[in-house]
Amino acid sequence: MGIDAFTDLRPGTPVKVFDLSGNQLAQGRLKAGTAGKVVGNSCTWPLEVHAVPGGATQYGLRIGERAELTKTREELESGVDLSFGSQ
């Protein structure tokens, strides 16, 4: 589970995928994070989302209530690890 400004991040936190028009396409969840995997006071969170429809070159990705990130289809297919924290 995250600490300080990251207490909302934990295994099971919802992960939603949107098209660029804002329509939700798929939903998944965060898996267990790994503390300090990147550098400093950070945690890396793998995520799991299945059945994201094709046809778009970019997708919006929202973890919990955090700001939406834009990822390409290739990034989603190759796997996305998110790192939060301070260095």
Side-chain angles (χ1 to χ4, degrees):
M1 176 172 18
I3 59 171
D4 299 327
F6 309 103
T7 58
D8 59 317
L9 300 174
R10 60 184 51 125
T13 296
V15 175
K16 297 178 183 177
V17 178
F18 298 87
D19 63 20
L20 294 184
S21 296
N23 301 306
Q24 185 175 328
L25 302 175
Q27 183 167 331
R29 62 182 178 81
L30 286 181
K31 297 170 85 176
T34 304
K37 183 176 176 183
V38 181
V39 289
N41 186 20
S42 66
C43 190
T44 299
W45 297 88
L47 53 92
E48 183 174 87
V49 178
H50 298 285
V52 177
T57 56
Q58 293 186 319
Y59 296 84
L61 186 65
R62 186 176 307 140
I63 291 74
E65 298 301 319
R66 294 184 172 268
E68 192 170 298
L69 306 167
T70 302
K71 297 291 180 184
T72 65
R73 178 75 188 180
E74 292 77 22
E75 289 173 313
L76 292 179
E77 288 176 349
S78 67
V80 176
D81 280 346
L82 301 173
S83 294
F84 297 96
S86 58
Q87 298 179 1

